[in-house]
Amino acid sequence: MKRIIITVVTAAVIMLTVPAAMCGKYASGNSTDTSTTAQAVPDTTAAKDKSGTPGKIADEKLRVWFPDEKKTKEIKMRDYLICTTAGEMPAAYEMQALCAQALAAATLVRRLITEGNIVEGSDKAVVAADAGTNQAYLSEEEMKKRWGDDYEKWHKRLEEAVDTVINYEIVYDGEPILAAFHAISSGTTEDAQTVWGKSIPYLTGVESVGDKLAPNYASSVTLTEDEIKKALGVESSRKGRELIKDARYTSAGTLTSVKIGDKEFSGAQIRKAFSLRSGNIRFLFDDKGNVTLSVVGYGHGVGLSQYGADYYARQGYTWREIIAHYYPGTQIQELK
């Protein structure tokens, strides 16, 4: 039987949900690195935003596909944003981080609406209640089951976050952005060009200094060399660093390519083959023929880092400052 050892540091109590987010329309790709970094500097003069008035936008109907039920449902925008924020980010995160996440989720939905997106297999649904396709979603029933007696407390926090930002969207050149987000970066977010093979001006690499403090920042998988060769369909008598060599990385640490035996693989292929938590992969060898695939971060690494947003919020950043940091060059626009 294949022997796989998985090491993940246990998440802290505040990790009430497992965030995993990406816009499924943009599949993983591979390319050379074009990332840049920028230092986040809080605007100490910025006033704290107070909860907004949801107004008519809250009652807008959104067609949502539920893959488990194979059904499209019409859901009010406010209700959808509460449920998807609950699914994507721990409710115990700082309020300013929850606001930033809710705004990113709302903007991603508006992007899909603008593009005329229809979820494959659905009855004209714009978005799927599924992290692998669009965004995670936690129903009211699931929230009650997960939070028990604390349901009211956490739900009110989510309501406050959503009501603060529901009348806004993040724009670039006047259009809602592809508001990508992920759980934990390597310490620097990744460039969209690296992950999806498409350059997007506001999805470039920026520092996310708090991510290295995340409880589940590092993970690893240990396999024998034979197990690696079998999984990848490689036939080679080489061993150790002669078997696995010429690994190439972006400045953010994402593996772009590696040679195993006589075959070259992309970082995305390696991540998928061994179900790794991110594309930031290093190969460590021992003298017994084992190889440890050491991984940091969680998710594709593009856009807003959810743990990083919580870290910045704990340093006093507002949701507006968090958005400006992770989506450089964008503006926050009020919806009319």
Side-chain angles (χ1 to χ4, degrees), residues 111-233:
R111 170 78 175 219
L112 295 173
I113 292 171
T114 299
E115 293 180 343
N117 185 67
I118 299 296
V119 179
E120 186 176 353
S122 73
D123 179 18
K124 297 181 180 179
V126 173
V127 64
D130 170 60
T133 306
N134 296 127
Q135 304 187 99
Y137 185 97
L138 204 63
S139 69
E140 295 290 333
E141 292 74 20
E142 290 169 323
M143 289 185 225
K144 290 176 181 177
K145 182 177 180 181
R146 178 169 296 185
W147 297 330
D149 293 341
D150 291 327
Y151 166 80
E152 290 292 338
K153 177 178 71 174
W154 298 128
H155 199 275
K156 285 180 180 178
R157 281 177 60 79
L158 294 171
E159 288 179 11
E160 181 181 345
V162 168
D163 289 346
T164 298
V165 301
I166 196 169
N167 293 325
Y168 299 95
E169 65 180 352
I170 312 164
V171 299
Y172 186 86
D173 282 346
E175 298 294 331
I177 70 167
L178 171 58
F181 44 88
H182 59 281
I184 306 168
S185 79
S186 66
T188 302
T189 64
E190 193 51 87
D191 195 297
Q193 177 72 31
T194 297
V195 178
W196 296 318
K198 178 181 175 65
S199 180
I200 300 175
Y202 50 82
L203 293 180
T204 57
V206 300
E207 288 185 347
S208 189
V209 295
D211 289 8
K212 292 181 179 181
L213 303 175
N216 52 351
Y217 172 72
S219 59
S220 64
V221 175
T222 299
L223 307 119
T224 66
E225 294 174 355
D226 287 341
E227 287 169 342
I228 290 176
K229 289 188 287 186
K230 182 178 180 181
L232 298 174

Side-chain angles (χ1 to χ4, degrees), residues 6-314:
I6 301 178
T7 305
V8 180
V9 180
T10 304
V13 174
I14 63 170
M15 298 294 284
L16 299 178
T17 66
V18 178
M22 65 179 290
C23 181
K25 183 174 179 179
Y26 294 83
S28 296
N30 304 281
S31 64
T32 56
D33 175 51
T34 57
S35 62
T36 59
T37 60
Q39 178 66 42
V41 179
D43 178 5
T44 56
T45 64
K48 297 288 185 182
D49 288 270
K50 297 180 180 179
S51 295
T53 303
K56 64 180 182 179
I57 293 171
D59 294 328
E60 284 183 7
K61 294 293 181 66
L62 181 67
R63 293 182 67 82
V64 182
W65 172 249
F66 290 82
D68 291 343
E69 302 176 52
K70 292 183 170 51
K71 181 184 294 186
T72 295
K73 301 178 184 179
E74 280 198 345
I75 299 176
K76 289 183 178 180
M77 181 67 77
R78 181 176 185 265
D79 294 339
Y80 170 80
L81 292 176
I82 290 170
C83 290
T84 196
T85 303
E88 288 291 354
M89 180 175 276
Y93 271 16
E94 291 290 316
M95 178 56 65
Q96 298 301 305
L98 289 168
C99 290
Q101 174 62 44
L103 180 56
T107 300
L108 185 52
V109 167
R110 297 207 172 275
R111 170 78 175 219
L112 295 173
I113 292 171
T114 299
E115 293 180 343
N117 185 67
I118 299 296
V119 179
E120 186 176 353
S122 73
D123 179 18
K124 297 181 180 179
V126 173
V127 64
D130 170 60
T133 306
N134 296 127
Q135 304 187 99
Y137 185 97
L138 204 63
S139 69
E140 295 290 333
E141 292 74 20
E142 290 169 323
M143 289 185 225
K144 290 176 181 177
K145 182 177 180 181
R146 178 169 296 185
W147 297 330
D149 293 341
D150 291 327
Y151 166 80
E152 290 292 338
K153 177 178 71 174
W154 298 128
H155 199 275
K156 285 180 180 178
R157 281 177 60 79
L158 294 171
E159 288 179 11
E160 181 181 345
V162 168
D163 289 346
T164 298
V165 301
I166 196 169
N167 293 325
Y168 299 95
E169 65 180 352
I170 312 164
V171 299
Y172 186 86
D173 282 346
E175 298 294 331
I177 70 167
L178 171 58
F181 44 88
H182 59 281
I184 306 168
S185 79
S186 66
T188 302
T189 64
E190 193 51 87
D191 195 297
Q193 177 72 31
T194 297
V195 178
W196 296 318
K198 178 181 175 65
S199 180
I200 300 175
Y202 50 82
L203 293 180
T204 57
V206 300
E207 288 185 347
S208 189
V209 295
D211 289 8
K212 292 181 179 181
L213 303 175
N216 52 351
Y217 172 72
S219 59
S220 64
V221 175
T222 299
L223 307 119
T224 66
E225 294 174 355
D226 287 341
E227 287 169 342
I228 290 176
K229 289 188 287 186
K230 182 178 180 181
L232 298 174
V234 171
E235 294 183 7
S236 176
S237 60
R238 297 173 186 170
K239 296 182 179 298
R241 290 177 176 81
E242 288 303 311
L243 173 66
I244 302 174
K245 60 182 182 179
D246 297 337
R248 297 179 181 275
Y249 297 91
T250 69
S251 60
T254 298
L255 177 68
T256 57
S257 66
V258 62
K259 194 171 184 180
I260 301 180
D262 293 323
K263 294 184 178 181
E264 186 168 274
F265 296 90
S266 68
Q269 288 173 314
I270 298 298
R271 182 187 177 190
K272 182 178 180 180
F274 302 107
S275 300
L276 304 176
R277 288 162 61 88
S278 87
N280 196 304
I281 307 161
R282 297 295 185 277
F283 302 93
L284 308 176
F285 304 88
D286 66 18
D287 56 4
K288 298 179 180 178
N290 298 317
V291 182
T292 295
L293 280 63
S294 179
V295 179
V296 297
Y298 187 11
H300 52 63
V302 179
L304 181 142
S305 162
Q306 293 165 324
Y307 191 89
D310 184 59
Y311 173 83
Y312 281 131
R314 283 183 271 123

